[in-house]
Amino acid sequence: MLFLIFAFVGFSFLAVSGINYITDFLLLSFMLYAFELSGEHPQLPAAEVLSVLTSRGLETFVFEAYLNCLVVDISSPDPAVADDEIFQMLKEEMPDVLAMTHSISKVIDIADVSEEAILGAAEKFRAADYLDEGETFVVRAKRAGDNFVLKSVDLEGRVGGCIYRQGFRASLKNADKVFRLTLTDKAIFGLLVSAVDRGAYEFRSPQKKPFFYPGVLMPRVARALCNIAGVQAGTIAVDPFCGTAGILLEAGLLGAKVIGVDAQEKIIAGADSNMGGYSKSTGRLLSKEERCLGTDLPDYDLFTGDACGLPLADNIADAVITDPPYGRSAAIKAESLERLYAQSFKEMYRILKPGKKAVVVSEIEVGDFASDAGFEIENVYKQRVHRSLTRTISVLIKK
């Protein structure tokens, strides 16, 4: 008890006499990474990051959620997995996986958003811990918020000067290491681990695909939903309302075996054109000659069928991701929209493995359909598409 009293008094003294000591202690106690988020949705980008990490067997603790920046402590429950292995995974795998993240940095320090605090952090930074002899560096700053007070300050140059004075050479074009300064609610100084080429998703925009049909999800949203559902290499992902295969294509490019079902034969034919039109290794549209070869394609099967009676075995899917139809024609084909949803949710539950997730996009609330089928509701997100359309994204778990 006496030890606890002294510990509490000591901690309180640090809190009063110098907040930087507490910050240093906390930063040393965690393996922190900063994910610069796209900001295109208030919740989905962070949900995507955490789902991707946990689906790969890593343990996560949200150290802090700032404006468009998530700082996460990442570790492995397996003591054989070294911190360097996590770093390499974030560097090599994540840029091709995440859709709603701009970059990942290993956190070096977190300071207040002021010139004095940022330069103070840079002055105490030991560059030799991150740069080998002879390596060059560059400092890049990114403003996640307004931070008007710092717009006239050459932070990149002044922070770079602190590193230069430690004996390291800068290179603006071909630096060996990039130090990232993210200005959000706090100033997060870190070593850039990887950057996501979000522009690559534009090559798979609906209107650029071999078969186009209006009203489908954009590729970045489809990819994020696949990640939230836990799709990765070696898993089986199912879309019982696959349409033109926008969701399936993103799941297939993640390395999953994908299965799609749709009620219309012409739509399945179009989905086949889309699935067979893209390189699995690059995500780019194949030439006509490459398509004829039929190599380097995602692993997929497509069926014309009824989502209310899927031609699939029980407990076959590791993930279900789907965007069911909402229109009158769908209701007529299934006798009623209510029956379509009620029965299709039961089928999704039947084919999904226990402990796995279904992610369903809809224009209506589907909580009752999901609960009646046996699902537990993990999260519900809203996405405003335009004035007359708000999507509901339901994340469901089969216990």
Short mmCIF file of all heavy atoms in Angstrom, two decimals, residues 151-204:
data_model
loop_
_atom_site.label_atom_id
_atom_site.label_comp_id
_atom_site.label_asym_id
_atom_site.label_seq_id
_atom_site.Cartn_x
_atom_site.Cartn_y
_atom_site.Cartn_z
N LYS A 151 0.77 27.73 -40.75
CA LYS A 151 0.86 27.66 -42.21
C LYS A 151 2.02 28.47 -42.76
O LYS A 151 2.54 28.17 -43.83
CB LYS A 151 -0.45 28.10 -42.85
CG LYS A 151 -1.54 27.03 -42.74
CD LYS A 151 -2.71 27.32 -43.65
CE LYS A 151 -3.70 26.15 -43.62
NZ LYS A 151 -4.85 26.37 -44.49
N SER A 152 2.44 29.50 -42.05
CA SER A 152 3.53 30.33 -42.53
C SER A 152 4.89 29.86 -42.01
O SER A 152 5.92 30.45 -42.33
CB SER A 152 3.30 31.79 -42.11
OG SER A 152 3.27 31.90 -40.70
N VAL A 153 4.91 28.80 -41.23
CA VAL A 153 6.15 28.32 -40.64
C VAL A 153 6.72 27.19 -41.51
O VAL A 153 6.02 26.25 -41.86
CB VAL A 153 5.91 27.80 -39.21
CG1 VAL A 153 7.20 27.27 -38.60
CG2 VAL A 153 5.33 28.91 -38.33
N ASP A 154 8.00 27.28 -41.83
CA ASP A 154 8.67 26.24 -42.60
C ASP A 154 9.05 25.09 -41.67
O ASP A 154 10.22 24.93 -41.29
CB ASP A 154 9.90 26.80 -43.30
CG ASP A 154 10.64 25.73 -44.10
OD1 ASP A 154 10.03 24.69 -44.41
OD2 ASP A 154 11.84 25.94 -44.40
N LEU A 155 8.05 24.30 -41.29
CA LEU A 155 8.30 23.23 -40.33
C LEU A 155 9.19 22.14 -40.91
O LEU A 155 10.04 21.59 -40.22
CB LEU A 155 6.97 22.62 -39.87
CG LEU A 155 6.15 23.48 -38.91
CD1 LEU A 155 4.80 22.84 -38.65
CD2 LEU A 155 6.89 23.70 -37.60
N GLU A 156 8.98 21.81 -42.18
CA GLU A 156 9.81 20.77 -42.80
C GLU A 156 11.28 21.16 -42.75
O GLU A 156 12.14 20.35 -42.37
CB GLU A 156 9.37 20.55 -44.24
CG GLU A 156 7.99 19.93 -44.37
CD GLU A 156 7.55 19.74 -45.81
OE1 GLU A 156 8.21 20.29 -46.71
OE2 GLU A 156 6.54 19.04 -46.03
N GLY A 157 11.57 22.41 -43.11
CA GLY A 157 12.95 22.86 -43.12
C GLY A 157 13.56 22.96 -41.74
O GLY A 157 14.72 22.58 -41.51
N ARG A 158 12.77 23.45 -40.78
CA ARG A 158 13.31 23.66 -39.43
C ARG A 158 13.49 22.34 -38.68
O ARG A 158 14.48 22.15 -37.97
CB ARG A 158 12.42 24.62 -38.66
CG ARG A 158 12.36 26.00 -39.31
CD ARG A 158 11.68 27.01 -38.44
NE ARG A 158 12.48 27.31 -37.25
CZ ARG A 158 12.10 28.16 -36.30
NH1 ARG A 158 10.92 28.77 -36.41
NH2 ARG A 158 12.86 28.39 -35.25
N VAL A 159 12.54 21.41 -38.85
CA VAL A 159 12.72 20.09 -38.24
C VAL A 159 13.87 19.36 -38.92
O VAL A 159 14.69 18.70 -38.28
CB VAL A 159 11.42 19.27 -38.32
CG1 VAL A 159 11.67 17.83 -37.88
CG2 VAL A 159 10.34 19.90 -37.47
N GLY A 160 13.94 19.49 -40.25
CA GLY A 160 15.06 18.88 -40.98
C GLY A 160 16.39 19.44 -40.53
O GLY A 160 17.39 18.70 -40.46
N GLY A 161 16.42 20.72 -40.19
CA GLY A 161 17.65 21.33 -39.70
C GLY A 161 18.13 20.70 -38.40
O GLY A 161 19.34 20.54 -38.17
N CYS A 162 17.19 20.33 -37.54
CA CYS A 162 17.55 19.66 -36.28
C CYS A 162 18.23 18.32 -36.54
O CYS A 162 19.16 17.93 -35.82
CB CYS A 162 16.30 19.45 -35.42
SG CYS A 162 15.49 20.97 -34.86
N ILE A 163 17.77 17.62 -37.56
CA ILE A 163 18.37 16.33 -37.91
C ILE A 163 19.71 16.54 -38.61
O ILE A 163 20.68 15.82 -38.35
CB ILE A 163 17.41 15.52 -38.80
CG1 ILE A 163 16.06 15.31 -38.08
CG2 ILE A 163 18.01 14.18 -39.19
CD1 ILE A 163 14.98 14.69 -38.94
N TYR A 164 19.78 17.54 -39.47
CA TYR A 164 21.02 17.86 -40.20
C TYR A 164 22.15 18.18 -39.23
O TYR A 164 23.31 17.77 -39.44
CB TYR A 164 20.75 19.03 -41.14
CG TYR A 164 21.96 19.52 -41.88
CD1 TYR A 164 22.42 18.86 -43.01
CD2 TYR A 164 22.66 20.65 -41.42
CE1 TYR A 164 23.55 19.31 -43.69
CE2 TYR A 164 23.78 21.11 -42.09
CZ TYR A 164 24.22 20.44 -43.22
OH TYR A 164 25.33 20.90 -43.89
N ARG A 165 21.83 18.90 -38.18
CA ARG A 165 22.86 19.28 -37.21
C ARG A 165 23.38 18.10 -36.41
O ARG A 165 24.39 18.21 -35.69
CB ARG A 165 22.31 20.37 -36.27
CG ARG A 165 22.17 21.73 -36.96
CD ARG A 165 21.87 22.83 -35.96
NE ARG A 165 20.54 22.73 -35.39
CZ ARG A 165 19.43 23.22 -35.97
NH1 ARG A 165 19.52 23.83 -37.16
NH2 ARG A 165 18.26 23.11 -35.37
N GLN A 166 22.70 16.95 -36.52
CA GLN A 166 23.20 15.73 -35.88
C GLN A 166 24.12 14.95 -36.80
O GLN A 166 24.54 13.84 -36.48
CB GLN A 166 22.03 14.85 -35.43
CG GLN A 166 21.17 15.49 -34.34
CD GLN A 166 20.09 14.54 -33.84
OE1 GLN A 166 20.36 13.37 -33.56
NE2 GLN A 166 18.87 15.04 -33.69
N GLY A 167 24.43 15.52 -37.98
CA GLY A 167 25.42 14.91 -38.86
C GLY A 167 24.85 14.10 -40.00
O GLY A 167 25.60 13.33 -40.64
N PHE A 168 23.55 14.25 -40.30
CA PHE A 168 22.93 13.50 -41.40
C PHE A 168 22.58 14.43 -42.56
O PHE A 168 22.26 15.60 -42.36
CB PHE A 168 21.69 12.76 -40.90
CG PHE A 168 22.01 11.68 -39.91
CD1 PHE A 168 21.93 11.93 -38.54
CD2 PHE A 168 22.41 10.43 -40.34
CE1 PHE A 168 22.24 10.95 -37.62
CE2 PHE A 168 22.73 9.43 -39.42
CZ PHE A 168 22.64 9.68 -38.06
N ARG A 169 22.62 13.89 -43.77
CA ARG A 169 22.44 14.67 -44.97
C ARG A 169 21.01 14.54 -45.50
O ARG A 169 20.46 13.44 -45.54
CB ARG A 169 23.45 14.20 -46.03
CG ARG A 169 23.52 15.05 -47.29
CD ARG A 169 24.78 14.71 -48.07
NE ARG A 169 24.89 13.27 -48.29
CZ ARG A 169 24.39 12.66 -49.36
NH1 ARG A 169 23.73 13.34 -50.28
NH2 ARG A 169 24.56 11.36 -49.49
N ALA A 170 20.44 15.65 -45.91
CA ALA A 170 19.08 15.66 -46.45
C ALA A 170 19.11 15.42 -47.96
O ALA A 170 20.09 15.74 -48.64
CB ALA A 170 18.41 17.00 -46.15
N SER A 171 18.03 14.84 -48.45
CA SER A 171 17.84 14.66 -49.89
C SER A 171 16.37 14.84 -50.19
O SER A 171 15.54 14.05 -49.74
CB SER A 171 18.30 13.26 -50.34
OG SER A 171 18.00 13.05 -51.70
N LEU A 172 16.02 15.87 -50.95
CA LEU A 172 14.62 16.18 -51.18
C LEU A 172 13.95 15.23 -52.16
O LEU A 172 12.73 15.09 -52.16
CB LEU A 172 14.49 17.62 -51.69
CG LEU A 172 14.96 18.73 -50.73
CD1 LEU A 172 14.78 20.09 -51.37
CD2 LEU A 172 14.22 18.64 -49.41
N LYS A 173 14.74 14.56 -53.00
CA LYS A 173 14.13 13.72 -54.05
C LYS A 173 14.25 12.22 -53.79
O LYS A 173 13.31 11.48 -54.02
CB LYS A 173 14.75 14.06 -55.40
CG LYS A 173 14.36 15.43 -55.92
CD LYS A 173 14.89 15.65 -57.34
CE LYS A 173 14.43 17.00 -57.88
NZ LYS A 173 14.94 17.23 -59.26
N ASN A 174 15.41 11.79 -53.35
CA ASN A 174 15.63 10.34 -53.22
C ASN A 174 16.14 9.97 -51.83
O ASN A 174 17.16 9.29 -51.69
CB ASN A 174 16.63 9.86 -54.29
CG ASN A 174 16.11 10.08 -55.69
OD1 ASN A 174 15.05 9.58 -56.05
ND2 ASN A 174 16.87 10.84 -56.49
N ALA A 175 15.43 10.43 -50.82
CA ALA A 175 15.87 10.17 -49.45
C ALA A 175 15.71 8.70 -49.08
O ALA A 175 14.76 8.03 -49.52
CB ALA A 175 15.08 11.04 -48.48
N ASP A 176 16.64 8.21 -48.26
CA ASP A 176 16.54 6.83 -47.77
C ASP A 176 15.42 6.68 -46.75
O ASP A 176 14.75 5.65 -46.69
CB ASP A 176 17.87 6.41 -47.13
CG ASP A 176 19.00 6.37 -48.14
OD1 ASP A 176 18.84 5.71 -49.18
OD2 ASP A 176 20.04 7.03 -47.88
N LYS A 177 15.21 7.71 -45.93
CA LYS A 177 14.17 7.67 -44.90
C LYS A 177 13.35 8.96 -44.97
O LYS A 177 13.89 10.04 -45.21
CB LYS A 177 14.78 7.54 -43.49
CG LYS A 177 15.61 6.27 -43.27
CD LYS A 177 14.72 5.07 -43.04
CE LYS A 177 15.53 3.78 -42.89
NZ LYS A 177 16.41 3.78 -41.71
N VAL A 178 12.05 8.81 -44.76
CA VAL A 178 11.15 9.96 -44.74
C VAL A 178 10.58 10.10 -43.33
O VAL A 178 10.01 9.15 -42.79
CB VAL A 178 9.98 9.80 -45.75
CG1 VAL A 178 9.03 10.99 -45.65
CG2 VAL A 178 10.52 9.65 -47.16
N PHE A 179 10.77 11.28 -42.75
CA PHE A 179 10.15 11.56 -41.45
C PHE A 179 8.86 12.34 -41.70
O PHE A 179 8.84 13.29 -42.49
CB PHE A 179 11.11 12.34 -40.56
CG PHE A 179 12.31 11.55 -40.13
CD1 PHE A 179 13.54 11.74 -40.73
CD2 PHE A 179 12.20 10.57 -39.16
CE1 PHE A 179 14.64 11.00 -40.37
CE2 PHE A 179 13.29 9.81 -38.77
CZ PHE A 179 14.52 10.02 -39.38
N ARG A 180 7.80 11.92 -41.05
CA ARG A 180 6.46 12.46 -41.30
C ARG A 180 6.00 13.28 -40.10
O ARG A 180 6.07 12.81 -38.95
CB ARG A 180 5.49 11.30 -41.52
CG ARG A 180 4.11 11.69 -41.98
CD ARG A 180 4.08 11.92 -43.46
NE ARG A 180 2.71 11.93 -43.97
CZ ARG A 180 2.42 12.17 -45.24
NH1 ARG A 180 3.40 12.40 -46.11
NH2 ARG A 180 1.19 12.18 -45.65
N LEU A 181 5.56 14.49 -40.36
CA LEU A 181 5.00 15.34 -39.32
C LEU A 181 3.53 15.57 -39.65
O LEU A 181 3.19 16.27 -40.61
CB LEU A 181 5.75 16.67 -39.27
CG LEU A 181 5.32 17.66 -38.18
CD1 LEU A 181 5.55 17.07 -36.79
CD2 LEU A 181 6.09 18.97 -38.32
N THR A 182 2.66 14.95 -38.88
CA THR A 182 1.22 15.05 -39.11
C THR A 182 0.63 16.04 -38.12
O THR A 182 0.73 15.85 -36.91
CB THR A 182 0.54 13.67 -38.93
OG1 THR A 182 1.16 12.73 -39.80
CG2 THR A 182 -0.94 13.76 -39.28
N LEU A 183 0.03 17.09 -38.64
CA LEU A 183 -0.55 18.13 -37.79
C LEU A 183 -2.05 17.94 -37.73
O LEU A 183 -2.78 18.20 -38.69
CB LEU A 183 -0.21 19.52 -38.36
CG LEU A 183 1.28 19.82 -38.53
CD1 LEU A 183 1.48 21.18 -39.14
CD2 LEU A 183 2.00 19.71 -37.20
N THR A 184 -2.51 17.48 -36.60
CA THR A 184 -3.94 17.28 -36.38
C THR A 184 -4.26 17.94 -35.03
O THR A 184 -3.84 19.06 -34.78
CB THR A 184 -4.31 15.79 -36.46
OG1 THR A 184 -5.67 15.60 -36.12
CG2 THR A 184 -3.42 14.90 -35.65
N ASP A 185 -5.01 17.28 -34.14
CA ASP A 185 -5.23 17.83 -32.80
C ASP A 185 -3.91 17.95 -32.05
O ASP A 185 -3.75 18.77 -31.15
CB ASP A 185 -6.19 16.95 -32.01
CG ASP A 185 -7.47 16.69 -32.78
OD1 ASP A 185 -8.28 17.61 -32.89
OD2 ASP A 185 -7.63 15.58 -33.31
N LYS A 186 -2.97 17.07 -32.40
CA LYS A 186 -1.60 17.12 -31.89
C LYS A 186 -0.65 17.07 -33.09
O LYS A 186 -1.05 16.79 -34.22
CB LYS A 186 -1.33 15.92 -30.96
CG LYS A 186 -2.08 15.95 -29.65
CD LYS A 186 -1.48 16.96 -28.68
CE LYS A 186 -2.12 16.87 -27.30
NZ LYS A 186 -1.50 17.83 -26.35
N ALA A 187 0.62 17.34 -32.82
CA ALA A 187 1.65 17.19 -33.84
C ALA A 187 2.30 15.83 -33.64
O ALA A 187 2.90 15.57 -32.60
CB ALA A 187 2.68 18.30 -33.73
N ILE A 188 2.14 14.94 -34.62
CA ILE A 188 2.65 13.58 -34.51
C ILE A 188 3.87 13.46 -35.41
O ILE A 188 3.77 13.59 -36.63
CB ILE A 188 1.58 12.55 -34.91
CG1 ILE A 188 0.33 12.75 -34.04
CG2 ILE A 188 2.12 11.14 -34.77
CD1 ILE A 188 -0.88 12.02 -34.53
N PHE A 189 5.03 13.23 -34.79
CA PHE A 189 6.29 13.11 -35.52
C PHE A 189 6.63 11.63 -35.61
O PHE A 189 6.64 10.93 -34.60
CB PHE A 189 7.39 13.88 -34.80
CG PHE A 189 8.71 13.85 -35.49
CD1 PHE A 189 8.83 14.21 -36.82
CD2 PHE A 189 9.86 13.47 -34.80
CE1 PHE A 189 10.05 14.19 -37.47
CE2 PHE A 189 11.09 13.46 -35.44
CZ PHE A 189 11.18 13.81 -36.77
N GLY A 190 6.89 11.15 -36.83
CA GLY A 190 7.16 9.74 -36.98
C GLY A 190 8.01 9.42 -38.19
O GLY A 190 8.33 10.29 -39.02
N LEU A 191 8.37 8.15 -38.31
CA LEU A 191 9.10 7.63 -39.46
C LEU A 191 8.08 7.01 -40.40
O LEU A 191 7.32 6.12 -40.01
CB LEU A 191 10.10 6.57 -39.00
CG LEU A 191 10.87 5.84 -40.12
CD1 LEU A 191 11.83 6.78 -40.82
CD2 LEU A 191 11.62 4.63 -39.55
N LEU A 192 8.06 7.49 -41.64
CA LEU A 192 7.10 6.96 -42.60
C LEU A 192 7.38 5.49 -42.86
O LEU A 192 8.49 5.10 -43.22
CB LEU A 192 7.17 7.75 -43.91
CG LEU A 192 6.18 7.31 -45.00
CD1 LEU A 192 4.75 7.64 -44.58
CD2 LEU A 192 6.51 7.99 -46.33
N VAL A 193 6.35 4.66 -42.68
CA VAL A 193 6.47 3.22 -42.92
C VAL A 193 6.02 2.90 -44.34
O VAL A 193 6.69 2.21 -45.10
CB VAL A 193 5.63 2.43 -41.90
CG1 VAL A 193 5.70 0.94 -42.20
CG2 VAL A 193 6.10 2.72 -40.49
N SER A 194 4.85 3.41 -44.72
CA SER A 194 4.33 3.15 -46.06
C SER A 194 3.28 4.18 -46.42
O SER A 194 2.67 4.80 -45.55
CB SER A 194 3.74 1.74 -46.16
OG SER A 194 2.72 1.55 -45.19
N ALA A 195 3.08 4.35 -47.73
CA ALA A 195 2.05 5.25 -48.25
C ALA A 195 1.13 4.44 -49.16
O ALA A 195 1.59 3.57 -49.91
CB ALA A 195 2.68 6.41 -49.01
N VAL A 196 -0.16 4.72 -49.08
CA VAL A 196 -1.17 3.99 -49.87
C VAL A 196 -1.43 4.74 -51.16
O VAL A 196 -1.70 5.95 -51.15
CB VAL A 196 -2.48 3.84 -49.07
CG1 VAL A 196 -3.55 3.14 -49.91
CG2 VAL A 196 -2.22 3.06 -47.78
N ASP A 197 -1.35 4.03 -52.28
CA ASP A 197 -1.66 4.62 -53.58
C ASP A 197 -3.17 4.54 -53.79
O ASP A 197 -3.67 3.63 -54.44
CB ASP A 197 -0.91 3.88 -54.69
CG ASP A 197 -1.20 4.47 -56.08
OD1 ASP A 197 -1.78 5.57 -56.14
OD2 ASP A 197 -0.84 3.82 -57.07
N ARG A 198 -3.89 5.51 -53.23
CA ARG A 198 -5.34 5.48 -53.34
C ARG A 198 -5.81 5.74 -54.78
O ARG A 198 -6.92 5.37 -55.15
CB ARG A 198 -5.94 6.53 -52.39
CG ARG A 198 -5.97 6.05 -50.95
CD ARG A 198 -6.26 7.15 -49.97
NE ARG A 198 -7.27 8.09 -50.37
CZ ARG A 198 -8.57 7.94 -50.18
NH1 ARG A 198 -9.03 6.83 -49.60
NH2 ARG A 198 -9.42 8.87 -50.55
N GLY A 199 -4.96 6.34 -55.58
CA GLY A 199 -5.32 6.58 -56.97
C GLY A 199 -5.49 5.30 -57.77
O GLY A 199 -6.17 5.30 -58.80
N ALA A 200 -4.88 4.20 -57.29
CA ALA A 200 -5.00 2.93 -58.00
C ALA A 200 -6.45 2.45 -58.08
O ALA A 200 -6.83 1.75 -59.02
CB ALA A 200 -4.14 1.87 -57.32
N TYR A 201 -7.26 2.85 -57.09
CA TYR A 201 -8.66 2.43 -57.10
C TYR A 201 -9.44 3.10 -58.23
O TYR A 201 -10.48 2.58 -58.65
CB TYR A 201 -9.31 2.75 -55.75
CG TYR A 201 -8.77 1.88 -54.63
CD1 TYR A 201 -7.74 2.34 -53.81
CD2 TYR A 201 -9.26 0.60 -54.41
CE1 TYR A 201 -7.22 1.55 -52.80
CE2 TYR A 201 -8.75 -0.20 -53.41
CZ TYR A 201 -7.73 0.28 -52.61
OH TYR A 201 -7.21 -0.52 -51.61
N GLU A 202 -8.94 4.24 -58.71
CA GLU A 202 -9.64 4.94 -59.80
C GLU A 202 -9.60 4.12 -61.08
O GLU A 202 -10.48 4.27 -61.94
CB GLU A 202 -9.02 6.32 -60.03
CG GLU A 202 -9.08 7.23 -58.81
CD GLU A 202 -10.49 7.38 -58.25
OE1 GLU A 202 -11.43 7.52 -59.06
OE2 GLU A 202 -10.65 7.35 -57.02
N PHE A 203 -8.61 3.26 -61.24
CA PHE A 203 -8.56 2.41 -62.43
C PHE A 203 -9.69 1.38 -62.44
O PHE A 203 -9.97 0.79 -63.49
CB PHE A 203 -7.21 1.68 -62.50
CG PHE A 203 -6.04 2.58 -62.77
CD1 PHE A 203 -5.17 2.94 -61.75
CD2 PHE A 203 -5.82 3.09 -64.04
CE1 PHE A 203 -4.10 3.78 -62.00
CE2 PHE A 203 -4.75 3.93 -64.30
CZ PHE A 203 -3.88 4.27 -63.27
N ARG A 204 -10.32 1.19 -61.28
CA ARG A 204 -11.43 0.24 -61.20
C ARG A 204 -12.77 0.95 -60.97
O ARG A 204 -13.71 0.34 -60.45
CB ARG A 204 -11.16 -0.79 -60.09
CG ARG A 204 -9.91 -1.61 -60.34
CD ARG A 204 -9.80 -2.80 -59.41
NE ARG A 204 -9.61 -2.43 -58.01
CZ ARG A 204 -8.45 -2.12 -57.45
NH1 ARG A 204 -7.35 -2.10 -58.18
NH2 ARG A 204 -8.38 -1.83 -56.16
#
